[in-house]
Amino acid sequence: MEPPLGADKADTAGTVGGIDDIKVVDVGDVVPDGRDDQVDTRPNPLPVRTIALGTAGSLMILLSAFGAAGTLISDPVLGNSALSWIRYGHGQMLATATLYLGFGLVVWAWVRLGRHVLAGRVGSRPVLVAAACWMAPLVFSPPVFTRDVFSYLAQGTLPLYGQDPYAVGPIVLNLQQVVQNVHPFWQTTPAPYGPMFILLAKGVAWVTGTNMILGVILMRLVLMIGLGLLVWALPGLVRHLGGHLPTTLWLAVAGPMTVVHLVGGPHNDLLMVGFLAAGVLCVLERKHVLGIALVTLAAAVKATAALALPFLVWVWAGHLKSTFWKNFTRAVAAAVATTVVTFTAATLLAGVNLGWVKALQAPTMIVNWLSLPTAVGEFAHTVADLFFDSNKAWFVNTTRVLGGILFFVIAARQWWRARHGGADAVRRAAFVLFAVAVLSPATLPWYLTWGFVIAAALPWQRTRLAVVVGAAVFLVLTYSPAGEDLLYNWPFIACALAVSVLAGVSLLRQDPLRLFDDRHELVQVKVPTKV
């Protein structure tokens, strides 16, 4: 079996992914145990060219997004100006091509940065600098690869006009500037988000009014609170889960799922995973009440974060000094009390009710094959249709029910196996969050970040990192820059798969297509095992 990152194996010290001509450097003061002060005690020069490459890509996304991404229906800046050509016809085609090229540069830079990390040339701080440089232009960009932020702003506007966001959709608002930018699919749909998010969205809508440009920027900045919490929590999670901090930050912060989807989107999943990561760390650090409260706030943004709470009860119980069942009972009672108080406070502050529980059914209207049960149902229907006329909805609904049953079995089994608490319970929680993302009736690309931000703090093998790279690139490309589903555009999906595989292979093999002169870019650093 291939050793995880940080292992000191003589048979792999000089190779990375099959490259045999790699210079080996001994660095005795590097102990990749996740502690930032140890990882970065050696010199860590900034990979300036790599950072500049990704920043150039981000700037290209920013500029082309005004024509190719989630633009306003009535654009006060470009609508009637000399630059309006970028929104239509050949101008829009040029903008779309430029945006994809910019995304390609961001991915190229991310892969190059990953090779630097695997080679031991850069630590955590250069990774964070790179991520900040790549995100900065997107803070001011129109939403890319989604239009969800317009729904967020409309859902925050509803309570300002006396409407219940859990009972009605944005269509009831007599505000054309707000409603017309919401994707038609969501204009009549109540908000499926918790009171914490409605409170924040209401605050943003109150400040920005019907100014959608300012609203998008401010909403993005508010959601980046989650990014700050995530960056704060990851070093501690690495310390508990045994990963390698630069690799973790490269995966969870600098990757395209975060830079392009969660920040460039933006998506409120960024706020959810920030609260989730911070809460998990606090529980591991024996700050149990604060940790449970933070994870409850994550669930008050998106309900799926609540799946981590039963696993954190085991962590809390493991810190107590009594019999097994007494520890469990005390931890359950304290966790339930903390959750109820926190959630009630968020609900009262938001001025809403529990109607959002019913609204959680809204995403099930989405049908795409990223959801494993939906994919199986659609495939079964396609096969059955070869022999007789069949009802697609029956197949999909049946496999979704079976997927729900399978998820329940997986979650219950993982929860019981986590009864000894500690880091093992957190690992199993991450797996369950991944399972709910792929076994839910509907799966959207950014759902995969729920468990991944925790799993990123685990030890990773190089070949598995390559798989993650390919998956991350593919998940961004499943939607168009304007936020439309491309999963059933099979020629495009075939191209996206090819690009994604190339990105994954490029992590392990420099210039796999042999387009450039052979250069020894990778330098493998021999590091001692953790004492």
Side-chain angles (χ1 to χ4, degrees):
M1 179 180 293
E2 184 182 17
L5 291 177
D8 185 17
K9 298 289 185 181
D11 59 341
T12 59
T15 63
V16 177
I19 300 178
D20 298 322
D21 51 355
I22 299 175
K23 181 181 178 182
V24 178
V25 180
D26 288 302
V27 181
D29 60 341
V30 182
V31 183
D33 64 350
R35 287 187 289 173
D36 194 63
D37 57 342
Q38 286 189 318
V39 172
D40 286 325
T41 53
R42 58 183 165 80
N44 281 302
L46 288 175
V48 176
R49 287 183 296 180
T50 296
I51 294 174
L53 179 68
T55 305
S58 251
L59 287 170
M60 291 175 67
I61 294 175
L62 165 64
L63 296 175
S64 58
F66 289 99
T71 56
L72 297 175
I73 302 301
S74 301
D75 194 324
V77 178
L78 298 179
N80 297 307
S81 72
L83 296 176
S84 62
W85 61 271
I86 197 175
R87 302 183 64 206
Y88 310 101
H90 291 92
Q92 189 179 54
M93 293 172 62
L94 176 63
T96 302
T98 303
L99 192 147
Y100 277 122
L101 178 58
F103 175 69
L105 294 182
V106 171
V107 170
W108 186 6
W110 180 53
V111 171
R112 283 173 58 94
L113 183 64
R115 293 203 297 253
H116 285 306
V117 169
L118 296 186
R121 284 198 302 274
V122 300
S124 57
R125 289 189 182 93
V127 173
L128 290 176
V129 170
C133 290
W134 301 343
M135 290 176 187
L138 299 183
V139 170
F140 305 99
S141 168
V144 291
F145 295 98
T146 181
R147 297 186 67 88
D148 281 5
V149 67
F150 296 125
S151 297
Y152 301 161
L153 293 169
Q155 289 155 359
T157 303
L158 283 169
L160 295 178
Y161 285 81
Q163 300 289 343
D164 183 357
Y166 298 146
V168 297
I171 195 68
V172 303
L173 291 170
N174 190 25
L175 297 169
Q176 186 180 12
Q177 306 98 308
V178 176
V179 177
Q180 67 181 352
N181 294 298
V182 178
H183 193 285
F185 187 86
W186 297 109
Q187 287 188 359
T188 58
T189 305
Y193 309 118
M196 181 66 185
F197 180 70
I198 295 298
L199 175 63
L200 294 175
K202 185 164 65 172
V204 172
W206 180 78
V207 172
T208 61
T210 58
N211 187 329
M212 291 293 100
I213 295 176
L214 182 59
V216 169
I217 295 173
L218 185 56
M219 178 64 74
R220 190 177 275 126
L221 291 173
V222 168
L223 295 180
M224 287 179 74
I225 294 171
L227 179 65
L229 289 170
L230 182 62
V231 171
W232 172 81
L234 285 175
L237 289 175
V238 166
R239 186 169 59 249
H240 284 280
L241 300 181
H244 178 234
L245 183 56
T247 303
T248 297
L249 293 172
W250 172 71
L251 285 172
V253 178
M257 286 296 289
T258 302
V259 173
V260 179
H261 256 327
L262 297 187
V263 174
H267 289 286
N268 57 8
D269 303 73
L270 180 60
L271 187 64
M272 168 194 161
V273 297
F275 278 125
L276 175 65
V280 169
L281 175 62
C282 286
V283 174
L284 287 170
E285 297 281 346
R286 298 175 182 265
K287 300 173 184 176
H288 305 114
V289 173
L290 176 59
I292 295 296
L294 287 171
V295 176
T296 301
L297 290 178
V301 175
K302 296 194 94 168
T304 42
L307 291 170
L309 290 171
F311 292 86
L312 296 180
V313 167
W314 287 129
V315 178
W316 191 341
H319 292 160
L320 302 178
K321 300 182 184 299
S322 186
T323 64
F324 176 85
W325 288 111
K326 282 186 178 180
N327 292 342
F328 175 71
T329 302
R330 291 172 183 171
V332 168
V336 169
T338 302
T339 297
V340 170
V341 170
T342 304
F343 198 86
T344 300
T347 302
L348 292 175
L349 285 173
V352 294
N353 52 41
L354 296 179
W356 71 295
V357 176
K358 182 179 179 181
L360 290 175
Q361 299 175 357
T364 62
M365 296 186 295
I366 300 171
V367 178
N368 69 51
W369 55 263
L370 285 182
S371 161
L372 185 57
T374 301
V376 173
E378 290 190 317
F379 179 76
H381 166 257
T382 300
V383 173
D385 230 22
L386 297 175
F387 302 98
F388 57 87
D389 290 335
S390 58
N391 187 325
K392 179 179 177 179
W394 184 90
F395 282 93
V396 170
N397 290 335
T398 300
T399 53
R400 283 179 167 184
V401 170
L402 295 175
I405 295 172
L406 176 60
F407 169 73
F408 177 80
V409 172
I410 291 173
R413 188 165 180 260
Q414 292 299 318
W415 179 76
W416 180 244
R417 286 192 163 190
R419 62 188 180 276
H420 300 297
D424 181 61
V426 174
R427 285 192 291 268
R428 295 182 186 278
F431 178 75
V432 168
L433 286 168
F434 172 79
V436 73
V438 297
L439 292 175
S440 291
T443 300
L444 294 173
W446 43 94
Y447 289 5
L448 277 298
T449 62
W450 298 343
F452 180 70
V453 294
I454 306 298
L458 294 166
W460 284 85
Q461 297 173 351
R462 286 172 172 79
T463 51
R464 292 179 182 177
L465 286 175
V467 173
V468 171
V469 167
V473 174
F474 178 75
L475 288 171
V476 175
L477 294 175
T478 54
Y479 275 69
S480 74
E484 297 297 335
D485 185 351
L486 294 176
L487 284 163
Y488 295 91
N489 184 338
W490 299 113
F492 180 87
I493 288 298
C495 293
L497 279 171
V499 169
S500 303
V501 170
L502 176 61
V505 173
S506 296
L507 180 69
L508 303 179
R509 297 180 181 275
Q510 182 186 357
D511 190 18
L513 298 181
R514 300 191 180 279
L515 299 176
F516 306 101
D517 291 337
D518 188 24
R519 292 177 298 177
H520 304 302
E521 176 183 310
L522 300 184
V523 177
Q524 175 68 26
V525 179
K526 283 181 66 176
V527 295
T529 55
K530 185 169 59 176
V531 179

